[in-house]
Amino acid sequence: MKSHQTTQTMKPATAAKKLGVYLQATPAEFQEGVVSRTELNALQADPPEWLRELRRTGPHPRPVVASKLGVSISGLARAGITEALTTEQIDALKDENPEWLQKERATQADVRKEAVRLKEKKQAQAQDRDEA
């Protein structure tokens, strides 16, 4: 009995997430079809102009917006930002530097410091166990 290897496919939403783009801003043929793993790899390796343009100017999905602003997705939600933003809108927010953005950036910095502290503590405990 021969085993047939099936092509792994994904929904457009999953592919858009993996590509870091906002699905509703992608071309209709991308939104309406399925994307194979091979096609996704090709898009990542040699992005077409529409993908390069989306990555450059947006609109960007919330995880990308949060990353570009240096805040968490939850921080965006607390600030009332629930929609995709363009690079221009993100740059304007950075220039404006509203109080909520300053507060969320500080919170994010604290979260990162705590994560580093916990990682170092865990490594020290592991080293102590190895030496014992």
Side-chain angles (χ1 to χ4, degrees), residues 103-121:
K103 180 181 172 198
E104 291 300 337
R105 282 180 169 168
T107 300
Q108 191 69 4
D110 290 344
V111 167
R112 287 188 185 115
K113 284 181 199 170
E114 181 65 7
V116 168
R117 185 190 71 79
L118 290 173
K119 182 178 179 182
E120 289 171 350
K121 180 180 176 183

Side-chain angles (χ1 to χ4, degrees), residues 51-115:
L51 182 54
R52 288 195 300 270
E53 184 64 22
L54 268 181
R55 287 177 170 168
R56 189 171 35 253
T57 62
H60 303 287
R62 287 185 305 149
V64 174
V65 173
S67 175
K68 286 179 179 275
L69 290 174
V71 300
S72 66
I73 295 172
S74 299
L76 287 178
R78 284 190 289 273
I81 297 176
T82 57
E83 297 298 317
L85 298 179
T86 64
T87 300
E88 189 176 302
Q89 291 169 314
I90 292 168
D91 290 343
L93 272 173
K94 286 179 180 177
D95 291 344
E96 186 182 316
N97 200 18
E99 187 177 329
W100 71 264
L101 182 56
Q102 295 171 35
K103 180 181 172 198
E104 291 300 337
R105 282 180 169 168
T107 300
Q108 191 69 4
D110 290 344
V111 167
R112 287 188 185 115
K113 284 181 199 170
E114 181 65 7

